[in-house]
Every structure is written in structure tokens, then in C-alpha cells.
Amino acid sequence: MNGDPGGVTIVSGESSDAQHPTTVVSVLRAALGEVSRDPALVGPFVVVGVLVSLADWLRRWDPIPAGTPGWRADTASLQYSIFPQGVARTDRYVGALVDLELAYFLGAVTLELMVTLAIGVAGWLTIRRTLDADAGVGSLGRYLGVFAALTLPSALVGQVEFTPGSLPLTLLVFVVAALVLVSLFPLPGYLAAGHDIVTALRESITTASGKRTQLFGLVLVFGLGAWGLALVPVAGGFLSTAISAPFQAVTVAVVVRGDVTENPGR
Amino acid sequence: MNRYDAAGTAHHPSTTGPRGELTVAWKHDSTDWFRGTTTPISVDGRLYAAGNGLLALDPESGERLFGAPGPYQSSPARASASIYETATLAVSAPTSVFGLNGGGGIDVPLVEECLGVERWTGPTWEPGFFGPPEPPTPVVADGRIYIAVPGTESLVALDPGSGSVDWRVAFDTEESSSSFQRPAIRDGQVFATAWPGQVAAYRAETGEREWSREIDEQMVSSPVATGAGVVVQTREDVRLLDAADGSPVWTADLDANVTDSVPAVAEGTVFAVDERESMHAVDLTSGEVLWTTPFVGKSAPVVADGVVYAVRSGFELVGIDATSGERLFTFRPAQVPLSAPIVGDGVLYAANRKRVIALEAVA
């Protein structure tokens, strides 16, 4: 048990899991229950969904190069992000910004920063409200800082795509990637609850260690769900942001709170 | 750009090249990923060569200015992009067209890599049944990039800033089932050819088709746009077509067997190989054959200051006097293939498999 500087008490780690056996379905039911009780939880990401759609439109409209993400041509794709967010239907990498005339550069960077900032704030607000935490500006700063640190590299070099070369290597990469994603699944929740970065990271790994299978199932659900919703023409960016992202945020909070039982109506 | 200008003449009008025996002035072979087979370009004081990436070299010394590995294979073409401070280089790969930063992007210290070289990815296409097609060659004219798109069998005009398609045209399905060749642009017209014998002209501004002709031949080369009309080489001959309606002006039967060669046009003369045993000089106005000289192999010759520079099937560079047809020199590089050269201030530049070389006359 950890005392939370923001005032919320969080049960985490293996003891919580042992006391409250959970499954992917039960966690999702609990998250759905949270949203049913408090529909305002989806509010921030609905607003951000509109912004994501507007950004998609602007990227196509302005004269700066915009790309079509590779997942749109894939048979199936896991569009999972450790920090809750939707999936935009356009992208813009650093090469499109280098050596731009100043006015275009400022416009393009402002757009990307606004979208990133809005996604981060929406995630923090949603998790914080679900946890009923009283975390302050410091918590928001840490949340945004880690979010940016994880988001920026892919914005600079593009999404990581892995083409299997051999079966053992494929398995190795798959296992490592799955372990990392699962271990960091609760991380946004601990940051939004007010923990410092090191503590949040440690708690995240501890929480995940007892429920890796369950969390891996959630990674698949949200990764495939975001991808499926984003495939919807025109509205895909909005739908994945307004539906998948808030449910992931609430689910993170539910996992972090550690009070999930097989009875979602508790 | 490839073939020197948008019209595809391969005539360098304001520079001179070597006239005698050649020696290597410098070679750049220290970039291990480079595998170049297409002609480099010299622009903005830089020599750009593509082949498993993009290399920018100092034309004077061959020193590497920047390099970016990637799928880029075709000759680049430089285009100004109004929203950028540096030019865009259009270059194609086996399955896509790219817009690259001519300035090289941002240097990453210690690793000799550049960040942000790739500005945009343009039209893409699927590899065919027999594998990826030959990467098409981009052409730049009047602020636009024109390039064939294999697979879709179309020709597109692209915005250099964003890579977006301004217009796209295709031969009617029943007329052709093959990719466009390198287009030629002159005086607001885009001339295009496709196997087996399609020739057409489009308005450069809108893509509207002005005329289309079917030549009763088994092959037609990339067109060359001139003031007298459009020069095309077919399997057996060279023809001049009226730029206004595509009607034939003259035909010079060369008893050729051409499959991959492209003629050059300079100072009112067409220089074409027959892929049997000769190169021919043909008068652009009349179609009269002016001279014939021994030349075995495929070639896309270039011309500068009265010298025709032609690479025979990628392994030997030959210099021929443009007026008399006299052979001036031959040069065999240590590696093959050797790309068609470009000419600049007494020097020839070419991509040569794992290296880029500059050739000058022996002192």
C-alpha cells in the first residue's frame, strides 16, 4: 500500500491481485461501470477527438507534407500506446518540418504540440477523476513530461515497424515488447495519482508483475480497438480518441486502484 | 536532372567536357551502403547521386557533404518548394516516389547520419509479377515534378512541397498495359510514351490530353522534346512527330533493334544508337543521316561542346566527335555498371556501382 501525496490511497502489487482475482473481462466491466456511473469521464477525450479530427483535416489541407500511416494498409495492426490516446489518420514526421519557412514551421509545430498537449491533459484528467485523486500541477507536469518523452521519438523517426527475419528473433522481440508494454500499462495511472516518476515506474512494474496475462489482454483489446475504430473513414481519428482512449484511461485507473473484482457492480 | 533538361535533350549547352583520353580525377568510395547505377545530377554546387540512399558530394573533391541511406535509386531531380528554405529532390525507389531535403536535413553528431532528409512519400505502387519495376525517373519543369507511376500505369504531376498529386493521367486501358517512360516537358506540353507504341501530349498545367497517337512499332523510347517537334526512337527507326498533333514529320530507318536506348538532341542533330553495331547522327530538320560510326550496345548518350559521351551497355564510356562521328577516346572503369555521365567544367561525373567518380582528360 502506498501513501499518495495527492490524497488517494492505492492498493497495488501482488497482494491486491491475490485478494481480488481479475480477468480482462472483469477489468473492462469495471471500467464500463465507472463510465456508466460518471459519463463525464469521456468528456475530455471527446473534446480531444474533435481536435484530432481537425488536425487530420488541417494536415491534409495545408501545403506541408502529411503522410498516411502504414497501419491503414495493414491487415491488422496493434495501435497501442502506453499513454491513453486515439489514432490519427494522418501523420507528419520531422523531415516535413526541417528547413520550413518560419511561418509554416511555427504553424506546424504549434498544431502538433497542441494536439499532444491536449491528449496528455485529457488522459491525466480522466485518470485523476476516476481515481478521485487530488493530484496537482506537479502531477500533470510529470505526466506530460513522460508522455512527451515516450511520444517524441516516434514523432521524430516514425513508428517502429518490425519485419520478422527469423522465428527465434521474432519471438524474442515479441516477448520483450510485450513485457515492456505490460509493465508500463499502469504507469500513467501512478503518474496521474501524483507519484514521482521513479516511484510511479516502480509501482507500475510491481503492479504488472502479478497480472501480466491480464494486462497483455488489455493491451491487445485497446491496441486492436483503437486500430479498428481509426479505420472508419473520415471519423476514425475522432472515434478512436473519443471511445478507445477514455476507456483505456479509466481501465488504467481501475488497475491502479486495484479494487477490481469479478463483480463489476460493487 | 536526368537527361540534363525537362525536354530530355541530354545536351549540356553551356559547359565543356574532356575531349581526350580520360583519367579518374577523384572517386568517392567510402560510403559503404552506396550502390549507384543511375546518373548523378549537379546542382546548387553539389553533386547528388542515388543508389541505396542519397549521397551529396563536393564536385571539386568528391568529399561527402551528407549521405542518407534509403531505398532511393533513380536519378534525382531538383525542384524549388516555396514553403521550404532548401530545394526538394524528387527521387524514386522500386515501389515509391520520395521528396528529399536537398540541404540534407539535420546533422546528427558522431554518427554521420542526417535526421529529417525525407520530406514526403508520394505515389506508391506494388511490385509486379516479375518483381519491382525499374524506378521511374522524375522530371521537373515549371515548379512541378512529373513522374511515371508503374503499376497504375499512369503519369502524375506532383507538388514539390508536399508531394500531393496535382493531376494524374493514363493511357486508355485498351491502348496500353505498360508503364509510361520518362516524360519530356517543353513549352507547357508534357510528352509521354508507353509500350508498345503509345505517344501522347498533355497540357502541363492541367493534364488535359491534347493528342494521342499509336505508332505501329514494338517499342518506343522516352520522348525528346525539341523546337522542331518530338523525337522518339522506336525499335527500328527514329521519328520526328509534330508537337501540335503528333503527326509524323520524318522517319529515319536505322535498321535498328532498340529496346532500351534513348537518343540525345543537340545543335539540330539527333544522336541515336541502333543496338546492333552503330551510332547515327540524324539531322533534326530533315531526318537525313549525317554520319554513322561503329558502336555496339545500348546507350543513352549525352552531348556537350561538340562531344557525344555514350556508355556502352554500362561497361565502357566512349567519346565521339559530334560533327564527324570520329571516336575520340574510350574509358573502361574498374567496376561495372557505369551510369551515363553528366558534364561539368571539363569533368564527367558518373555513378559506378560502389562509388561515384569524376573523370577528366589526361594532362
Side-chain angles (χ1 to χ4, degrees), chain B residues 265-320:
Chain B
V265 179
E267 309 287 355
T269 304
V270 181
F271 301 94
V273 300
D274 59 22
E275 293 192 21
R276 288 186 188 274
E277 54 189 17
S278 303
M279 176 184 286
H280 309 270
V282 180
D283 184 82
L284 178 63
T285 309
S286 65
E288 175 191 359
V289 176
L290 301 175
W291 53 252
T292 296
T293 192
F295 189 97
V296 178
K298 303 169 182 179
S299 189
V302 301
V303 186
D305 194 29
V307 180
V308 182
Y309 302 95
V311 173
R312 290 205 299 128
S313 298
F315 75 94
E316 183 182 67
L317 174 61
V318 178
I320 297 169

Side-chain angles (χ1 to χ4, degrees), chain A residues 35-46:
Chain A
V35 174
S36 300
R37 280 192 295 275
D38 184 5
L41 284 171
V42 301
F45 272 113
V46 168

Side-chain angles (χ1 to χ4, degrees), chain B residues 126-198:
Chain B
E126 295 292 325
F129 181 76
F130 296 106
E134 191 77 12
T137 303
V139 178
V140 170
D142 301 326
R144 273 210 181 108
I145 298 163
Y146 301 87
I147 189 167
V149 181
T152 62
E153 321 304 4
S154 58
L155 175 72
V156 295
L158 304 177
D159 179 272
S162 65
S164 59
V165 176
D166 288 339
W167 54 254
R168 179 190 293 265
V169 296
F171 282 116
D172 297 336
T173 308
E174 66 272 18
E175 292 175 344
S176 172
S177 60
S178 180
S179 301
F180 280 88
Q181 315 265 19
R182 176 203 188 277
I185 297 98
R186 181 187 166 98
D187 294 339
Q189 285 182 294
V190 179
F191 302 99
T193 57
W195 184 89
Q198 308 300 323

Side-chain angles (χ1 to χ4, degrees), chain A residues 63-65 94-101 104 156-157, chain B residues 82-86 101 105-106 116 118-120 161-162:
Chain A
I64 305 167
V94 68
L97 306 179
V98 176
D99 290 334
L100 267 177
E101 294 284 350
Y104 290 103
L156 288 175
V157 300
Chain B
S82 60
I83 63 171
Y84 286 105
E85 294 171 346
T86 53
N101 186 334
I106 301 169
E118 207 168 282
R119 279 184 177 154
W120 48 257
S162 65

Side-chain angles (χ1 to χ4, degrees), chain A residues 184-208:
Chain A
L184 297 181
F185 185 94
L187 177 65
Y190 287 107
L191 290 170
H195 289 287
D196 63 67
I197 294 173
V198 174
T199 306
L201 194 58
R202 190 172 59 238
E203 291 299 330
S204 177
I205 294 170
T206 304
T207 300

Side-chain angles (χ1 to χ4, degrees), chain B residues 234-255:
Chain B
T234 70
R235 185 102 180 196
E236 297 181 348
D237 56 46
V238 171
R239 304 178 185 200
L240 180 70
L241 308 178
D242 191 319
D245 58 12
S247 59
V249 178
W250 54 252
T251 299
D253 188 352
L254 304 179
D255 190 24

Side-chain angles (χ1 to χ4, degrees), chain A residues 14 19-20 33 45-46 53-54 80 83 100 105 108 129 135 175 191 230 266:
Chain A
E14 294 184 19
Q19 290 164 15
H20 307 287
F45 272 113
V46 168
S53 289
L54 181 65
Y80 174 76
F83 282 74
L100 267 177
F105 178 79
R129 186 179 175 94
V175 168
L191 290 170
R266 63 170 286 280

